[in-house]
Amino acid sequence: MKRKTYWGYGVATIADAAPYSFVTVYSIVFFTTVAGLSAETAGMISAVTIILNGIAEMSLGYVSDNWNSKYGRRRPFLIFAVVPLGVGLIALFTDFGWDETLKVAVYIGAGFLFWIGFGAYYTPYSALGAEIAPGYNERSVLRTCARVFGIMGNILGMVLPLAMVELLAGLGMSDRGAWFSVALLIAFVACGSILITWNSTRGMEKPPVEENTKPKAGLGQLLRDYIKILRLKPFIFLIVVIFAFVAANTFYSSNIVFFARYKLGLGDQVTSTIFLISMIVNAICTPLLGWAAIKIEKKNALALALLVSGIGAIVFRFLDVSSYLGLIAYACVFSIAYAAFWQLFNAVLYDISEVGEFVMGKRVEGSVISVYGIAFSLSMSISSKVLGSMLEWGGYNGALAEQSAHAVTTIENAFMLVPAAALILAAIFQFLYPLNKGRFELLERALHNKRKGLSYDTTGLDRIIRK
């Protein structure tokens, strides 16, 4: 692949990182401090909308696998995603000033619209990456380039919002107006990045399946395909990694603002600075992770990063972080896992496509990404609901400028101990993940012969292919 292909594909990663970071980090903050909802209600809204998204997203990868269009299989979905993603994001950060029941209904609807748009973009976009980068190491390079744009998106969606809200408030704008303006900016940039990649990836997709050889499609076939994907030996390990990392990231990202405010008494501007430092660490890690993915294999590089951050989180919890410097240090340690997952996990996941094709007899990149998205959404939904209930049980009240000692301790544990346990679990299963470079190359040779109708050898593939 030419370098411009890497960068042209990678631009749309902004639309993954910026809206995702903005919603996961700040939605509960916005709901509790601007919209006036309780933490439990805010967690419930997040949980419900993400579950609805998971249900809708079930079909997106499968449909894109079986989509026949002169414009391609994946790229038409990028165009479709722009409107619901942008409109839903803006509505999620709009204080409508209505009664609570109506607010909750509107935010659930807005969240559903946003996540539908996000899924319609992310699933075909990720599947497109597996198609245009077929090699084991090539996929690591593609995701490293994409991660550069991901960091830009993280800065926009995670680092800048609080600073922009504070700036706009200082210029006389209300809090509700400031949050709306920030959401509008992020939506505009994210949707614009999708359109750029849509234009840059013309002609890069694999040709659609001919109608006379196209496999039978339908709900029953979708469910059978997804069950087969879930039963793929290597994918079982990745399901655990997905659930564990998403839980860790949800608890960490949703609590960093609360920890800074109520444990350390820091202002929102300081929190923005911490996010910025985290992104600097991400930028430093990006070339190192790209190098490690080639030298020690991407699966091991990812596992090692998750383990380092998990152990670090335990250490910082028992050191009792009580200073700005301590918070920065902890954020830097967590950022190692964050950078590794978003840079390398998709490169690892792409390889499941070849396993799926060998077992199922057809390309299933989109379906693999959909199953991943369902697991991701389900984990995020459960984590958001558990976090909201945990804060409520701990006595957190968003209307108070200071929280009780019990509430602060609950925030500390949610911010450090829960992510620590989840990251260590993710690291263990990532280390045990059996699809390494050697087995992938054996699989490629066997698959090449199988496609041509020749005899093939499955020796050495017993850990990734069921007999």
Side-chain angles (χ1 to χ4, degrees), residues 6 9 68 130 204 252 256 292 298 313 357 386 395 401-402 433 442:
Y6 292 131
Y9 171 83
N68 273 348
M204 293 184 186
Y252 170 84
I256 190 167
K298 54 195 175 186
E357 183 182 359
V386 170
E402 294 186 10
Y433 175 69
L442 290 175

Side-chain angles (χ1 to χ4, degrees), residues 266-305:
L266 301 175
D268 289 347
Q269 185 62 46
V270 171
T271 305
S272 295
T273 303
I274 293 169
F275 283 146
L276 176 59
I277 293 171
S278 297
M279 288 303 103
I280 292 172
V281 174
N282 272 251
I284 294 171
C285 286
T286 296
L288 296 176
L289 288 166
W291 173 83
I294 304 300
K295 292 297 181 182
I296 65 172
E297 297 199 17
K298 54 195 175 186
K299 85 178 197 73
N300 296 326
L302 174 56
L304 183 60

Side-chain angles (χ1 to χ4, degrees), residues 333-373:
V333 168
F334 187 89
S335 294
I336 297 171
Y338 185 91
F341 185 87
W342 291 117
Q343 181 172 333
L344 299 179
F345 186 81
N346 269 22
V348 171
L349 184 66
Y350 287 165
D351 299 337
I352 296 293
S353 299
E354 279 71 25
V355 181
E357 183 182 359
F358 188 88
V359 172
M360 301 164 65
K362 59 182 178 180
R363 301 292 298 181
V364 289
E365 295 95 341
S367 296
V368 167
I369 299 297
S370 264
V371 175
Y372 159 58

Side-chain angles (χ1 to χ4, degrees), residues 34 107 140 309 314 373 382 430 438:
V34 179
Y107 287 137
S140 297
S309 292
I314 293 176
I382 294 171
Q430 187 59 59

